[in-house]
Amino acid sequence: MVLITVHDKRGTAGMDATGVLSHFTSIAVHGGWAPCATYTAAVHARRNAHLLGELQAVIDQAGQDTGWCWAGQAADALPDMKARSMRHAPGRHPEQPRSSQADRPAAHAYRSAARLGVKATTARASNLEKDHNALARRLPHREADHPRFTLGAPR
């Protein structure tokens, strides 16, 4: 279901005016806009295209001279994390992705990339480096939101 409204304010003030999200308890799919995270009764699923676009921007900025970028490692791990989480156990709701020993290599690579990204951008010398640092720090906090987007209805 999609609800489209118009309001003078952007952010939580406009969303609260709809009277929907403050009581929403299902899976909210969004692009990762910070005000969406304020609705804690909902389970969040972030559209992977948004994250992959952000990671690609970091890769593009790093240029061809390094040959490797922490963002590339995170982007490479994401499809495997998604594929593995889609095989959830019967009866398990999609907001509870399956976790197993087999999931660990991709999740480890993803978390490792986040740590490397934070370290590489810790100086935050420019606005771009600040953005990249914020992205790297955000990766582990929203890790479960990315594979959840692709899961179907409960079985």
Side-chain angles (χ1 to χ4, degrees):
M1 177 187 294
V2 175
L3 172 66
I4 300 173
T5 63
V6 177
H7 193 273
D8 290 340
K9 297 284 185 179
R10 199 180 135 105
T12 54
M15 291 189 286
D16 285 347
T18 67
V20 174
L21 288 176
S22 56
H23 305 290
F24 190 74
T25 58
S26 190
I27 299 175
V29 179
H30 54 84
W33 189 37
C36 294
T38 63
Y39 298 99
T40 56
V43 174
H44 298 273
R46 187 162 182 221
R47 291 188 297 267
N48 294 330
H50 281 60
L51 175 60
L52 290 171
E54 288 180 280
L55 293 170
Q56 187 61 52
V58 174
I59 295 165
D60 292 346
Q61 184 63 33
Q64 301 296 330
D65 51 10
T66 61
W68 179 86
C69 178
W70 63 269
Q73 180 174 319
D76 289 346
L78 195 62
D80 193 38
M81 290 169 56
K82 176 191 75 163
R84 291 182 186 282
S85 68
M86 287 178 69
R87 295 188 309 238
H88 56 283
R92 182 180 300 270
H93 196 272
E95 62 208 41
Q96 302 169 326
R98 178 179 172 224
S99 178
S100 72
Q101 294 286 88
D103 296 341
R104 291 189 179 176
H108 176 73
Y110 179 86
R111 290 183 201 122
S112 174
R115 287 190 299 273
L116 291 167
V118 169
K119 186 175 181 179
T121 60
T122 197
R124 293 178 278 197
S126 67
N127 286 339
L128 187 61
E129 200 168 82
K130 289 176 187 175
D131 290 346
H132 293 177
N133 182 268
L135 170 61
R137 290 186 1 220
R138 192 172 63 239
L139 289 177
H141 299 292
R142 297 289 183 193
E143 179 179 334
D145 294 354
H146 300 291
R148 187 180 294 129
F149 172 61
T150 60
L151 298 175
R155 295 177 193 211

